[in-house]
Amino acid sequence: MSGTLYLIPNTLGATDPSSDALAHIIPEQVQAQTARLDYFVAENAKTARGFLKLIALRHPLAKTLQEIEIAELNVNTPAQALAGLLEPLLAGRDAGLISEAGVPAVADPGADLVRLAHERGIQVRPLVGPSSLLLAVMASGLNGQSFAFNGYLPTDAALRTKRIKELEARSRAEKQTQLLIETPYRNGAMLEALVGACQPGTLICVATDLSLPTESIRTLNGGKWKALLAAGKAPDFHKKPTVFLLLA
C-alpha cells in the first residue's frame, strides 16, 4: 500500500521562534502531522529545514533535522525526475510537500508532482494553512465570487501595459477580480504600471506581507492611487512579497 502525500503549508515569511506566533499561522494539527514525517519534497532543502526547525520547537520531530530526508523540486527539476520523488511513497512511506511560502502546488512547481501522484494512485491530503492569494482576496473588498490568478506579467513595459489592459477588459466584462504578483524589488514599477494603464475608476488593491507583523492592505481606485504616487506616498513594499488585485 502506498503512502500519503501531505501538502504542507509554510508560513508567508514568519521566522519568529515563538511557538505561539507559529501556531497563529500554522494550525497545531498541521504542525503535529508535519513532525511525524521524515521525508519531504521542497523547493529548497535549506529553507525547508528552517521551517522544520520552527515546528520542532513545539513538536518533537520523527528524526533529527540532519536525518530527515529532503528532496528538492523547483523550476530546474526535469519532468523525468518527478517519478523518482514518488518512489518512497509507492514503497509505503508518507511524505510532505512544502512550498517556499504559503500553500504547495498553487503558483508553485509542486503541482506537477501532485498530478503525477494522482496518476500513480497515491492519496493526496491538503492541509490547512496560509495562502497569500486567498488572504488578499478576502481583505481586498473586491469580487470574491469570481477571481483569477495571472501570475507574473511581462517585464517589458509595453507588453506589460498591454497585458494589464487585457486583464482590466476581462475584469470589466466578467465582473472578475484579477490577481497578479511581481518580483518584490519591482513592486513599485508594477503599481505605477497598473495606475498608468487602468481607468481612474478601476479598483486596485495592494496587499503586502500578508499574515506578518508588517502586513499592509489597501484598496483604492486608480485615480486615488495616482494622486498618492504623485505625492510620493507610495506603500512601503520594496522587496516585500505583495499581491496586486484589480476590479474594473
Side-chain angles (χ1 to χ4, degrees), residues 39-188:
Y39 173 56
F40 295 89
V41 179
E43 289 184 67
N44 182 286
K46 181 179 179 181
T47 54
R49 290 190 194 281
F51 172 67
L52 293 175
K53 188 175 180 180
L54 290 177
I55 296 292
L57 292 173
R58 196 173 186 99
H59 300 275
L61 301 180
K63 293 183 178 179
T64 68
L65 282 172
Q66 292 70 30
E67 293 173 324
I68 287 175
E69 183 181 354
I70 301 178
E72 292 193 347
L73 169 59
N74 49 52
V75 294
N76 298 314
T77 303
Q80 58 269 29
L82 296 181
L85 299 176
L86 294 178
E87 286 181 0
L89 288 102
L90 292 173
R93 193 175 176 188
D94 291 339
L97 176 64
I98 306 176
S99 178
E100 279 290 273
V103 296
V106 177
D108 175 86
D112 292 336
L113 187 70
V114 173
R115 183 170 62 251
L116 184 59
H118 284 295
E119 292 176 4
R120 299 296 170 87
I122 295 170
Q123 182 181 17
V124 176
R125 288 196 59 191
L127 301 182
V128 174
S131 165
S132 61
L133 303 179
L134 286 179
L135 290 172
V137 171
M138 289 165 58
S140 67
L142 306 186
N143 189 2
Q145 295 286 348
S146 177
F147 54 91
F149 175 56
N150 300 279
Y152 294 92
L153 301 194
T155 55
D156 177 81
L159 292 176
R160 182 175 55 208
T161 296
K162 179 175 181 291
R163 181 64 175 143
I164 290 172
K165 289 182 178 294
E166 291 172 349
L167 294 177
E168 185 184 34
R170 184 203 298 176
S171 176
R172 182 178 297 107
E174 301 182 18
K175 297 181 174 58
Q176 184 181 71
T177 300
Q178 304 297 320
L179 290 79
L180 54 105
I181 55 176
E182 181 54 279
T183 303
Y185 68 84
R186 289 201 292 257
N187 284 336

